[in-house]
Amino acid sequence: LKFMAIDTVLNFVGRTMSTVKIGIESKEWDYILNVRPNSDNSAAAFWQKFFYKLMAKNEILVVISDDDQLLIADSFYRNEYAVYEDTFTDVIVKDYAFKRTFKMSEVIYVEYNNDKLSKFTKGLFDDSGELYGRILEVAMRNNQIRASVGIDSTGTLKDDKDAGGRTRTEKLQGFINKVYNSYRTNSVAIVPKMKGFEYEEYTNKQGGSNQSIDELNKMVTSLIDDIANMIGVPTALIYGEKSEMDSNIKAYKKLCIIPLAKKLQDELNAKILLKSEYLKGQRVEVFGVLPPDPLELATQADKLVSSGMFYIDEARDMFEYEPLPDGKGQIQLITKNYEQTLKGGEEENGETTED
């Protein structure tokens, strides 16, 4: 139950973040980050695993191998220092243990910092585990098949053994087992009716109502809802509900996607770019996750540009498009209805002057 609830929500976010694109000037880094981070994963598979583990473990470490592969560490130990940069030891990737020590400046390390989620889930599952067990026990008991076997016997069941070494009790029990297995495993069960032997079920004859499985489903749904709220995912998106989808996607992007993308972007800017490159204006951009549709927002974009409030390149950046070449997008455009012009013979207030 615990892993199913966590996996449902984190896989949903991981699949969303797998569409991420990294904008960087270096062609070599562009290939690594957007095409093939390592020999075993494509970019989409790598980033899905990256963000899943980040949220599940509250932190993630990616080391760079000697042949420039990005490897996600399965386990590691962080040595923290007050003045010097932290180091990472005992780094294990799959079955391989690195002997070397990695400095903070040599790795990609991101913290999720959602302590509320980790503490909440721990306390939640401690309480709900026992409750789920009790609900399951009651459901199994209420749906248990109860039956009786009537035997017409003039005497007691003696322990005298026959030629095969079985007592009458053992032979009778063997026959009952065969009858039970026939009822349990076959959709159509036919058994011989013997004189002095009657089999009768009471499960559906007592007038009592069996407990519905809905209670178990409601508990699973409740756990998924709680975890989704901790991460910032509208539950309607997880269940595929179509109502208010636009507003839910906006909330999902604002509360969950943008913070995750910002954490990755800050880390890549700090670890990939040199200080001198950053000061010269180079940036690593993270984009491509739930981008806005320019066709749906064409009217709003036109108003922003035609009013002179934004350049064309600034409007294109809102839709995650690259600037126009040769600085064509850096020209301010203002339509006539936004211009304030004074023509000969007219004043601002619309009064005509006469000679």
Side-chain angles (χ1 to χ4, degrees):
L1 177 65
K2 170 181 177 179
F3 292 108
M4 182 183 67
I6 291 178
D7 191 68
T8 299
V9 180
L10 298 193
N11 255 326
F12 182 84
V13 180
R15 289 193 302 270
T16 305
M17 295 302 298
S18 68
T19 62
V20 69
K21 300 294 182 183
I22 313 296
I24 188 171
E25 293 185 11
S26 171
K27 299 299 182 182
E28 182 177 353
W29 273 109
D30 178 68
Y31 178 82
I32 294 174
L33 296 173
N34 294 309
V35 181
R36 201 72 176 175
N38 55 59
S39 58
D40 296 327
N41 297 116
S42 63
F46 177 85
W47 291 118
Q48 179 174 347
K49 182 180 179 181
F50 178 94
F51 286 103
Y52 182 99
K53 181 164 286 190
L54 171 62
M55 293 180 291
K57 302 295 184 181
N58 213 28
E59 61 179 354
I60 189 169
L61 175 69
V62 177
V63 298
I64 305 174
S65 64
D66 295 335
D67 55 350
D68 295 330
Q69 294 191 65
L70 300 184
L71 306 175
I72 297 177
D74 294 316
S75 64
F76 58 89
Y77 182 78
R78 179 180 179 180
N79 305 289
E80 300 186 42
Y81 302 98
V83 178
Y84 301 102
E85 63 178 320
D86 294 350
T87 60
F88 298 91
T89 56
D90 301 327
V91 177
I92 298 177
V93 177
K94 295 183 178 179
D95 295 329
Y96 181 78
F98 286 89
K99 303 299 182 183
R100 59 172 293 192
T101 298
F102 294 91
K103 296 180 180 180
M104 178 64 79
S105 57
E106 300 173 338
V107 301
I108 298 174
Y109 177 74
V110 181
E111 290 181 294
Y112 188 42
N113 289 331
N114 196 339
D115 294 332
K116 186 177 181 180
L117 173 64
S118 58
K119 293 178 181 178
F120 176 82
T121 52
K122 184 179 185 303
L124 174 69
F125 293 134
D126 289 344
D127 297 335
S128 62
E130 182 178 355
L131 177 60
Y132 181 80
R134 295 288 295 177
I135 294 177
L136 186 61
E137 179 184 350
V138 172
M140 292 177 64
R141 185 170 63 249
N142 288 344
N143 290 279
Q144 184 185 47
I145 296 177
R146 300 180 180 93
S148 65
V149 176
I151 302 173
D152 184 12
S153 177
T154 57
T156 60
L157 297 177
K158 298 181 180 180
D159 291 334
D160 297 338
K161 296 182 179 181
D162 60 7
R166 296 193 306 168
T167 63
R168 185 181 179 189
T169 303
E170 292 173 344
K171 290 189 290 183
L172 181 59
Q173 185 62 52
F175 179 74
I176 294 174
N177 291 340
K178 290 181 180 180
V179 173
Y180 166 74
N181 287 330
S182 179
Y183 290 148
R184 184 175 63 88
T185 59
N186 300 325
S187 59
V188 178
I190 300 176
V191 296
K193 186 175 182 180
M194 301 176 61
K195 182 178 180 181
F197 180 87
E198 295 182 359
Y199 173 86
E200 183 179 6
E201 289 189 11
Y202 299 98
T203 305
N204 299 320
K205 297 182 180 180
Q206 301 301 319
S209 60
N210 293 332
Q211 181 180 2
S212 173
I213 200 68
D214 289 343
E215 291 190 15
L216 299 177
N217 294 333
K218 288 179 181 179
M219 184 171 182
V220 174
T221 301
S222 176
L223 290 177
I224 293 176
D225 292 348
D226 290 334
I227 296 173
N229 291 332
M230 292 294 102
I231 296 179
V233 182
T235 55
L237 296 179
I238 296 179
Y239 301 128
E241 299 176 4
K242 303 298 183 182
S243 60
E244 301 181 356
M245 178 172 287
D246 290 340
S247 60
N248 285 329
I249 290 178
K250 290 179 181 179
Y252 176 40
K253 186 174 182 178
K254 182 178 181 180
L255 300 176
C256 181
I257 300 303
I258 292 179
L260 288 174
K262 185 64 167 61
K263 287 179 180 291
L264 176 61
Q265 180 173 291
D266 290 347
E267 182 68 6
L268 294 179
N269 274 305
K271 299 299 176 62
I272 293 180
L273 297 180
L274 298 175
K275 182 179 179 180
S276 58
E277 294 174 333
Y278 187 87
L279 295 177
K280 290 179 181 179
Q282 293 189 34
R283 296 291 186 272
V284 177
E285 300 290 340
V286 175
F287 61 96
V289 183
L290 298 178
D293 189 348
L295 297 179
E296 294 180 358
L297 302 174
T299 303
Q300 292 87 334
D302 176 66
K303 293 294 184 182
L304 293 175
V305 175
S306 62
S307 65
M309 187 174 182
F310 286 88
Y311 291 120
I312 296 178
D313 282 349
E314 292 174 327
R316 288 174 62 88
D317 183 66
M318 295 178 185
F319 296 101
E320 300 182 355
Y321 283 84
E322 295 182 356
L324 293 175
D326 303 325
K328 295 180 180 179
Q330 293 296 320
I331 301 175
Q332 189 177 40
L333 301 177
I334 303 177
T335 56
K336 290 184 177 181
N337 57 321
Y338 285 102
E339 291 179 347
Q340 293 182 357
T341 60
L342 293 175
K343 296 182 178 179
E346 295 182 350
E347 292 182 349
E348 292 186 10
N349 295 329
E351 299 177 357
T352 302
T353 59
E354 297 180 356
D355 293 336

